[in-house]
Amino acid sequence: MRLRKLYVAILHFTLLHLVSAEIFSAITAGIAAAATGLYYSGRCYVGECCHQNHMPADFDRMFTKFDLVLDVCIFVVELKKNLESKMFGQHIAIKTIVNALKHHWSSDHIQKPLTISLHGSPGTGKNYITAFVKKSLYSKGVDSKFVHHWVGRIHFRLEEEVTKYQNNLYSWIKGNVTMCGRQLFIFDEVDKMPAKILDIIKPMIDYNERVEGVDYRQSIFIFISNTGSAAIVDTYLDFWKNGNRREGIKLKDFEKIITQGAFNEAGGFYRSDTIKSNLIDHYIPFLPMELEHVRMCIVQEFNIRNVTPSEHQIQNVLEYIEWGPNPENVFSKTGCKRLSQKVAVISAAGDEY
Ligand SMILES: *[C@@H]1O[C@H](CO)[C@@H](O)[C@H](O)[C@H]1NC(C)=O
C-alpha cells in the first residue's frame, strides 16, 4: 500500500514537473514572441515593415545584388506572367510598366521617383493593371499601408478646396515617405480633379535628392485619366484601317499625342507645371478593345465563376456592348467594364437564358 502511494506520488511529481516544464517553455516562447513582436512593431509599425518580408520587389533586389539570380526580378517575372494571361489587348501598357518597375526598384542610380501616367477610354484596363502592380510590389497588396489610392471625384471634388487638398496631399506624402521611401501613390480620375492640385507634388517628383530633408526618389506615382483617349482611338483606328496588326503599334506612335492631350484637356494636369517640366516618365496609352478582347474578358468572367460559357451565353453578354466610332464600329465603347454584373446574371440563369 505504502509503495503504491509512493509510486503515485512520484508519478504526480514527474507529471507536474513535465507539465510545468512545458508551461515554462511556452512562457519563454511567448515572451520571445512578444519581444520580437515589440521589436517589429517598434520598427515596422502595425504589422507591415518597410523591409523585404513585405516587399517582394525589395527581396528580389537582394538576390540580384548577390548575383544569385542574374537580371531576374522574380516579382517582375510574376507580374508579367499574370498580366499576359489575364489582361487582353494591351501589349504596350504591359511592356512599359513591367520594364519601368523592374528598372526603378532594381537600379542603384535612380534620380527621381517613378512617374507613370495611364491614358485611355473606360474599361481598357487602367485600374485593372494598377491592381496587379499593387499586388506585385507589396505582399499585402491593396491592403498595404504603403499603397495610397486617391480618386478625383471622391477625394478632390471641390474647386474651392484646392488649397486644403494641396496641403493635405503634401503632408500625407511627406509623412509617409519619411517613414518608408517605397510608397505607391495613385491618382485616379486625374481629369476629374480641379486643375492645379497636382502642382503641389512637383518638387517631390522632380530631380531632387531631398526636399525639406526627405528623399522621395524610391517612391512610385501613377496617374490615371481618360484624357487623350479620343486621340488614342483616332491614332489606333488609322493604324487599324491601314491593315496593321494591333501588336505592331508601338509606344512612340502615341507618346506625343498623349502629352498634348493631357496638357490641353481640362482636369488635374491642365496647364500644369508637372507637364510643362516633363516630370512624367511614361505616358501609357490603353488601346480601345475590339471584339476578340471583349470576348476574352467575357470568358474570363465566366471562368472566375467556374462556368465554361456556351457560345450562346457569350453572345448574350455581347448584346449589351455598344460599338463605336461610326462607321467602323469596331471598338467597345465601354471596353470590358461592367461585364462582371452581366455575366453574373447570365451564368446564374444557366441554360435558360
Ligand atoms: C499617409 O497617407 C495616408 C493617406 O493614404 C494619410 O491618411 C496618413 O495621415 C499619412 N501618414 C502620415 C504619417 O502622414
Side-chain angles (χ1 to χ4, degrees):
M1 247 356 183
R2 273 245 174 105
L3 213 64
R4 203 170 145 197
K5 255 189 187 160
L6 186 68
Y7 181 69
V8 168
I10 289 174
L11 195 70
H12 260 170
F13 177 79
T14 330
L15 270 180
L16 212 82
H17 190 77
L18 276 178
V19 167
S20 66
E22 199 93 303
I23 288 172
F24 180 73
S25 70
I27 288 173
T28 324
I31 289 172
T36 323
L38 266 180
Y39 169 72
Y40 268 96
S41 61
R43 238 186 94 207
C44 309
Y45 149 88
V46 218
E48 194 185 12
C49 294
C50 182
H51 106 331
Q52 63 215 42
N53 287 353
H54 290 106
M55 291 185 188
D58 205 18
F59 182 65
D60 299 321
R61 182 167 178 245
M62 303 266 299
F63 272 120
T64 44
K65 275 222 154 138
F66 295 114
D67 287 337
L68 285 176
V69 183
L70 276 179
D71 190 39
V72 181
C73 296
I74 299 163
F75 88 103
V76 166
V77 174
E78 193 73 7
L79 174 64
K80 190 160 175 246
K81 211 172 67 192
N82 257 325
L83 291 178
E84 279 168 357
S85 62
K86 293 181 183 145
M87 208 172 154
F88 310 118
Q90 304 299 351
H91 63 285
I92 297 178
I94 294 176
K95 190 171 163 209
T96 319
I97 290 178
V98 165
N99 285 340
L101 291 177
K102 181 171 165 180
H103 178 257
H104 189 67
W105 275 5
S106 63
S107 163
D108 289 325
H109 307 287
I110 41 176
Q111 296 174 313
K112 68 186 282 302
L114 176 64
T115 48
I116 302 177
S117 194
L118 313 183
H119 299 258
S121 34
T124 47
K126 303 184 295 295
N127 267 298
Y128 193 59
I129 207 169
T130 309
F132 282 104
V133 170
K134 291 174 186 173
K135 267 186 239 153
S136 77
L137 292 183
Y138 305 100
S139 51
K140 292 201 170 185
V142 290
D143 297 322
S144 169
K145 67 173 191 281
F146 307 123
V147 171
H148 312 269
H149 193 133
W150 292 295
V151 183
R153 266 185 299 193
I154 298 173
H155 300 102
F156 312 112
R157 221 153 27 95
L158 307 168
E159 198 72 51
E160 60 273 21
E161 301 273 319
V162 167
T163 316
K164 190 184 110 195
Y165 297 147
Q166 287 187 323
N167 292 339
N168 283 345
L169 268 182
Y170 192 86
S171 81
W172 290 338
I173 296 176
K174 183 179 175 186
N176 282 286
V177 174
T178 304
M179 285 190 307
C180 176
R182 304 205 153 185
Q183 306 276 342
L184 175 62
F185 301 104
I186 296 155
F187 292 87
D188 196 356
E189 299 188 347
V190 169
D191 46 336
K192 312 279 186 333
M193 288 164 48
K196 291 284 171 196
I197 289 184
L198 291 177
D199 280 352
I200 195 74
I201 63 168
K202 188 188 164 225
M204 298 166 159
I205 60 172
D206 209 336
Y207 292 82
N208 290 316
E209 254 174 51
R210 279 170 198 283
V211 182
E212 292 188 279
V214 181
D215 181 355
Y216 292 94
R217 288 175 297 174
Q218 299 277 336
S219 49
I220 298 174
F221 290 76
I222 297 180
F223 306 95
I224 303 175
S225 70
N226 295 334
T227 20
S229 54
I232 292 170
V233 170
D234 286 349
T235 308
Y236 180 62
L237 193 62
D238 281 345
F239 185 83
W240 181 88
K241 278 197 234 164
N242 290 330
N244 295 301
R245 285 195 64 232
R246 186 179 180 101
E247 288 69 27
I249 198 159
K250 299 218 164 60
L251 180 60
K252 66 172 167 44
D253 299 321
F254 289 101
E255 204 139 25
K256 200 168 153 214
I257 58 150
I258 298 168
T259 322
Q260 287 167 350
F263 189 85
N264 293 325
E265 291 177 35
F269 277 147
Y270 186 61
R271 300 214 179 112
S272 139
D273 285 345
T274 321
I275 301 292
K276 267 188 247 166
S277 46
N278 285 320
L279 293 178
I280 304 294
D281 301 318
H282 306 280
Y283 289 98
I284 300 178
F286 281 70
L287 307 182
M289 304 296 249
E290 297 168 60
L291 178 61
E292 81 179 272
H293 311 111
V294 178
R295 271 190 81 99
M296 287 194 273
C297 293
I298 294 173
V299 171
Q300 176 167 272
E301 283 296 338
F302 275 106
N303 289 343
I304 288 170
R305 293 174 172 75
N306 291 324
V307 177
T308 310
S310 64
E311 184 55 34
H312 182 62
Q313 284 174 313
I314 297 177
Q315 289 302 329
N316 263 323
V317 184
L318 279 171
E319 270 170 31
Y320 289 99
I321 311 281
E322 286 183 53
W323 304 88
N326 259 325
E328 293 84 3
N329 293 323
V330 282
F331 304 142
S332 160
K333 282 187 185 168
T334 44
C336 282
K337 229 184 173 79
R338 286 189 291 273
L339 287 180
S340 145
Q341 292 88 323
K342 304 278 184 296
V343 169
V345 172
I346 290 171
S347 66
D351 291 337
E352 315 145 33
Y353 211 96

